[in-house]
Amino acid sequence: MNIEVATAFETAPLEVLDLQVVPKTATGKSLLSLRLLLRKDRKTNLLHIPTLSWFDASKLQRFSQELASAHYPETCQVDLTDAGIRLTGSVRRLAGRWTTGRTVRIEPLSSSATSFTAFTIHASHHDITSYAGKLYNRLWEVFTRG
C-alpha cells in the first residue's frame, strides 16, 4: 500500500509494509495498539495510532469500509472518542477533478489527552480497500486469539 502523509510542513510519500494490531490491557480494560510499519526511501519506521478500545476499533473498521466504497461527493466522519481523534474521509480532488483517490484528515478531539497537529493522508481507492481488508483480518485474528 502507498499513502501520502501531508502535514503543515511537508508532504511525504510512504509505503505501508504492514499493519500490526497488538492487544493491551490497562486497568482491567482490553485495549488495542495499532501500528503501521512504513518505509520512506530506505528507512523503516513505525507509526503508532493512539490506543483504541474495541468499540473505537470497530468504528475505525466501519469508517475504513465506508471510505473505500464512497463516491463523490460523499464524505465519512467518525470520532474515536477513547483515542481522542476525529477522522474525516472524502473522495480526493486533484487539479480541479474528482479522482478515485481518497483523503483522510486526522485531527485531535478537544477532549483528547494527546495534542497533535492535524494532518492528512492521501491514498488510492485500491490502497484504502486493501487497508480496510487488512485491518478487518488483523482485528479478527486478535479477537479470536483472545
Side-chain angles (χ1 to χ4, degrees), residues 74-88:
E74 297 172 333
T75 60
C76 322
Q77 184 172 335
V78 66
D79 289 348
L80 304 179
T81 311
D82 296 331
I85 58 177
R86 171 175 288 144
L87 304 173
T88 306

Side-chain angles (χ1 to χ4, degrees), residues 36-127:
L36 295 172
L37 181 61
L38 306 170
R39 179 171 48 205
K40 179 182 178 186
D41 299 323
R42 293 183 179 214
K43 295 171 71 176
T44 57
N45 290 339
L46 279 176
L47 173 65
H48 296 269
I49 297 171
T51 304
L52 300 172
S53 64
W54 275 99
F55 182 66
D56 276 355
S58 172
K59 292 193 307 186
L60 176 61
Q61 173 59 32
R62 196 171 327 113
F63 170 82
S64 300
Q65 290 174 327
E66 287 174 10
L67 182 58
S69 64
H71 298 284
Y72 171 76
E74 297 172 333
T75 60
C76 322
Q77 184 172 335
V78 66
D79 289 348
L80 304 179
T81 311
D82 296 331
I85 58 177
R86 171 175 288 144
L87 304 173
T88 306
S90 61
V91 177
R92 189 171 183 187
R93 184 178 179 127
L94 191 62
R97 294 185 43 216
W98 297 102
T99 68
T100 60
R102 305 294 190 260
T103 297
V104 180
R105 179 159 174 80
I106 296 107
E107 54 193 339
L109 293 173
S110 58
S111 62
S112 176
T114 308
S115 179
F116 61 89
T117 304
F119 62 97
T120 57
I121 294 175
H122 305 290
S124 71
H125 173 259
H126 173 73
D127 288 339

